[in-house]
Amino acid sequence: ILTVSGASAASKVYDRTNSAVVSGANLAGVLVPDVVTLTNHTAGTFAQITVGTGINVTTDMKLAGAEAGNYTLTQPALTANITRKPLTVSNAVAADKEYDKSTAATVSGATLTGVISGDTVTLGNATVGTFSQVNVGTNLTVTTAMTLAGADAGNYSLSQPSLTAKINPKTLSLSGVTVANKVYDK
């Protein structure tokens, strides 16, 4: 019985597949001068396609060579992680507003970029933002708290967009103003 030493499975970013990359595999226990080599030793299969840690990775390594028939092979026990795929928000725009003594901001046009075809992921809380101050100003930072929803949202992470807008001075109007008549006085 031969064993595999040094093999490790690489962690990967979620890609909706269960394929794994294996490296460092070496045969242990071949008797000299037998010719036995290891094949199919760079690929593995994750036990799941979704995000997780310590996921089992199975291999289907084979023996080749003139004396391969004299040996059996024990597959290595491997684990690796699948991490969340980062998504970005495109086309988001924060609207300028007139001073209203609040930090409330309106955002429009936000769309998700990077969702893998076939996955159900939607963008939530995409129309609300917060100005960095309540006072009039230009190029003010607008922060967002957009969220992910949908059946496959747990396989993704979200980077909030970098937005700026301005708060314009409030236009005031006068009312109830009258002008008094007067006698010509040069």
Side-chain angles (χ1 to χ4, degrees), residues 12 14 18 28 34 42 45 68 80 89 99 101 110 127 130 145 150-151 175-176:
K12 71 173 186 174
Y14 170 76
N18 62 355
D34 287 354
T42 60
T45 303
V89 174
Y99 171 75
K101 202 174 179 182
T127 60
T130 305
S175 63

Side-chain angles (χ1 to χ4, degrees), residues 50-150:
T50 55
V51 168
T53 58
I55 303 166
N56 287 332
V57 175
T58 57
T59 57
D60 189 24
M61 297 180 190
K62 306 277 188 211
L63 297 175
E67 284 80 31
N70 297 322
Y71 295 92
T72 59
L73 179 65
T74 301
Q75 300 292 321
L78 305 175
T79 61
N81 304 329
I82 298 177
T83 59
R84 295 175 190 266
K85 183 180 190 309
L87 298 180
T88 56
V89 174
S90 300
N91 304 316
V93 176
D96 295 342
K97 75 171 189 175
E98 185 176 78
Y99 171 75
D100 64 0
K101 202 174 179 182
S102 81
T103 57
T106 302
V107 178
S108 62
T111 57
L112 278 176
T113 302
V115 176
I116 297 171
S117 178
D119 278 355
T120 302
V121 182
T122 57
L123 187 60
N125 202 35
T127 60
V128 178
T130 305
F131 277 98
S132 57
Q133 65 183 44
V134 298
N135 296 321
V136 170
T138 58
N139 291 320
L140 300 176
T141 299
V142 174
T143 57
T144 59
M146 296 180 189
T147 59
L148 296 176

Side-chain angles (χ1 to χ4, degrees), residues 2 27 29-37 64-71:
L2 299 181
L27 274 177
V30 176
L31 300 174
V32 177
D34 287 354
V35 176
V36 181
T37 59
E67 284 80 31
N70 297 322
Y71 295 92

